[in-house]
């Protein structure tokens, strides 16, 4: 313990007696200055290195300002050229071609020879056609004579049918009159015997008299209805004959027309009269049935001679009445059959085979036209000539061949001019209007200016396609089958127009990079931001836009690297 205390005291004495080493103090200051200088040199080197790295990695861009202006659209389209009007020179079929004088694409004048036909063959064809025409004319004369004979025969048949009709009507009316007379006589005999009083005192005839009176009333009503129907038929027939006489109708058709007209006028009355007869007949049959039933019952209860004889007379009356009704029905059937026979005979007289007549007349007319055409060719020495000035479009035959059916030489009529036609998509057609001036390259290093668009319309098959036509006047000569249209169209003035390569897209929307400047600890820095825009119109090098940019703003035109929003850039002049 004492030894330890002694050691501690010694240590404190050394600490109190400590003094700084002046040489050592100077050495530390030099070393600190050296470290500071090295640090500053390192910072300068790092700064220079950072700026060098920044100059290598930062994008260099060129810019352009946003300004107003118009866009120019240069439109070109290829199309076909065709004649406004073509003349067709028809050549009869079956003719032999001696020579072809004008090929397709040849310009011809009116009267120029197009074809030369074989004259010997042409003469044979003419002779054959003339013989065939003579045969057709002879057949027409024979048919006319036969038609006259058939007409006379049909007229005779009609006359006989009319006589048969009149006879049938008269006979049927007489049969009805006789049956009616027999029925009335039977009814009178029945009433006479009934009113004679024989054995009548022993029988109560009140019910029988009532039934008989009802039958009499129904019979009278029926007779009245039949008489009215007969009178109406007679009145109709009288009016028909009167109108025929007044109008002086001579033909069967005129008489038939008058008959139909009068019958139509009285159809309602005739139907009402026939209905009245039918109703009265039904009522009479019911009354007769009631009387018959009563008499049958009376006959069972009484076997007297009076009743039997009275019943016999009544049965005779019923039989005569049935015969009368049958005569009425038979008269209707007879008149109907005779009338139909008369109508059939009338139609037979008036029937004409119009189809056959028209066919034969057409065949004769065609054959006459063929003869006239062949005769004209013979007179011209077999030469087929052009009817007007123009360009031969097609000649479908060659020398030594025979003309086929509907052989025709097509000639474009130069005096009517030509027509240029092309198709445009909707996005292009929207810039064009009727009346716009265009230039047309028609081939052979020839361009025609000052032409105007005649029409531009949506296609009926595809609404996204428009058909455009341009009229080419007759003064433009030698156009080919194809031509190229060109036109420049300037749009309206837009507020913001930019070069097309300044536009970018993310797949859905369009945008441009706009320059922005901001102050930082390192100084003023230039960055880019995305501005969404909408394209109003564009051509091959510029676009009209609206949206997140305004007139006078600077936008990025080119960049040495791909950009993203917020990237720092360096603007190069």
């Amino acid at each position: 313990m004492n030894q330890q205390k002694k050691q501690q005291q010694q240590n404190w004495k050394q600490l109190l007696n400590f003094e700084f080493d002046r040489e050592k103090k100077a050495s530390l200051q030099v070393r600190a200055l050296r470290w500071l200088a090295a640090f500053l040199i390192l910072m300068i080197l790092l700064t220079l290195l950072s700026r060098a790295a920044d100059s290598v990695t930062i994008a260099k861009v060129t810019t352009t300002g946003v300004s107003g202006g118009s866009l120019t659209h240069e439109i070109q389209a290829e199309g076909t050229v065709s004649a406004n009007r073509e003349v067709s020179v028809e050549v009869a079929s079956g003719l032999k071609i001696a020579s072809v004088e004008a090929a397709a694409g040849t310009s011809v004048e009116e009267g120029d020879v197009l074809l030369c036909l074989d004259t010997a063959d042409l003469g044979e064809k003419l002779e054959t056609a003339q013989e065939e025409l003579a045969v057709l004319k002879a057949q027409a004369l024979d048919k006319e004579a036969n038609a006259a004979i058939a007409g006379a025969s049909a007229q005779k048949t009609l006359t006989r049918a009319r006589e048969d009709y009149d006879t049938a009507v008269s006979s049927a009316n007489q049969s009805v009159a006789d049956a009616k007379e027999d029925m009335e006589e039977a009814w009178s005999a029945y009433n006479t015997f009934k009113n004679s009083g024989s054995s009548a005192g022993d029988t109560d005839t009140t019910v029988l008299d009532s039934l008989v009176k009802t039958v009499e009333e129904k019979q009278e009503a029926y007779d009245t209805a039949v008489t009215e129907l007969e009178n109406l038929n007679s009145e109709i027939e009288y009016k028909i004959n009167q109108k025929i006489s007044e109008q002086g109708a001579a033909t069967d058709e005129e008489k038939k027309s008058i008959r139909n007209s009068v019958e139509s006028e009285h159809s309602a009355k005739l139907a009402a009269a026939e209905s009245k007869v039918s109703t009265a007949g039904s009522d009479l049959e019911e009354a007769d049935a009631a009387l018959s039933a009563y008499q049958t019952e009376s006959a069972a209860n009484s076997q007297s001679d009076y009743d039997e004889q009275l019943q016999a007379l009544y049965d005779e009356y019923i039989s005569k009445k049935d015969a009368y009704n049958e005569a009425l029905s038979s008269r209707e059937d007879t008149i109907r059959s005779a009338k139909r026979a008369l109508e059939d005979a009338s139609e037979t007289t008036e029937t004409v085979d119009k189809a056959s007549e028209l066919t034969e007349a057409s065949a004769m007319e065609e054959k006459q036209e063929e003869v006239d055409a062949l005769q004209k060719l013979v007179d011209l020495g077999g030469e087929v000539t052009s009817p007007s000035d123009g360009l031969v479009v097609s000649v479908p035959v060659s020398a030594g061949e025979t003309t086929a059916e509907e052989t025709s030489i097509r000639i474009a009529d130069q005096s009517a001019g030509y027509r240029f036609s092309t198709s445009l998509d909707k996005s292009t057609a929207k810039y064009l209007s009727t009346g716009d001036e265009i230039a047309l390259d028609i081939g052979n290093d020839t361009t025609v200016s000052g032409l105007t668009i005649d029409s531009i319309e949506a296609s009926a098959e595809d609404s996204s396609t428009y058909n455009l036509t341009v009229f080419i006047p007759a003064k433009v000569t030698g156009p080919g089958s194809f031509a190229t249209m060109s036109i420049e169209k300037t749009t309206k003035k837009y507020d913001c127009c930019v070069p097309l390569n300044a536009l970018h897209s993310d797949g859905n929307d369009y945008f441009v990079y706009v320059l922005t400047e901001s102050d930082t600890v390192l100084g003023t820095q230039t960055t880019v931001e995305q501005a969404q825009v909408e394209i109003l119109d564009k051509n091959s090098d510029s676009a009209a836009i609206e949206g997140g940019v305004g007139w006078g703003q600077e936008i990025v035109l080119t960049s040495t690297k791909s950009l993203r929003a917020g990237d720092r850039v360096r603007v190069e002049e």
Side-chain angles (χ1 to χ4, degrees), residues 502-524:
L503 286 172
H504 304 275
S505 175
D506 57 8
N508 296 316
D509 301 313
Y510 285 93
F511 62 90
V512 294
Y513 286 110
V514 181
L515 293 184
T516 61
E517 292 185 349
S518 58
D519 294 328
T520 66
V521 293
L522 298 178
T524 301

Side-chain angles (χ1 to χ4, degrees), residues 256 259-260 263 338-348:
K256 182 179 178 181
R259 175 175 292 279
N260 291 337
E263 289 180 350
K339 185 177 180 180
R340 288 176 178 174
L342 178 60
E343 290 174 350
D344 292 342
S346 177
E347 291 175 358
T348 302

Side-chain angles (χ1 to χ4, degrees), residues 179-217:
K180 183 178 181 181
E181 183 178 356
D182 292 343
M183 181 186 67
E184 289 175 347
E185 289 177 357
W187 183 252
S188 178
Y190 169 76
N191 284 325
T192 299
F193 180 77
K194 186 184 69 171
N195 294 329
S196 65
S198 299
S199 302
D202 300 333
T203 305
D204 185 4
T205 62
T206 302
V207 176
L208 179 63
D209 291 343
S210 176
L211 292 173
V212 169
K213 184 178 180 181
T214 300
V215 170
E216 291 174 350
E217 291 174 350

Side-chain angles (χ1 to χ4, degrees), residues 58 61 63 512-520 523-531 548-549 553-556 563-571:
I58 194 170
V61 299
T63 63
V512 294
Y513 286 110
V514 181
L515 293 184
T516 61
E517 292 185 349
S518 58
D519 294 328
T520 66
T524 301
Q525 292 185 344
T526 303
T527 59
V528 293
E529 297 295 338
Q530 289 184 0
V549 295
Q553 276 189 296
E554 290 292 319
I555 62 174
V556 174
L563 298 177
R564 292 179 299 175
D567 283 353
R568 290 189 302 115
V569 297
R570 178 177 297 165
V571 178

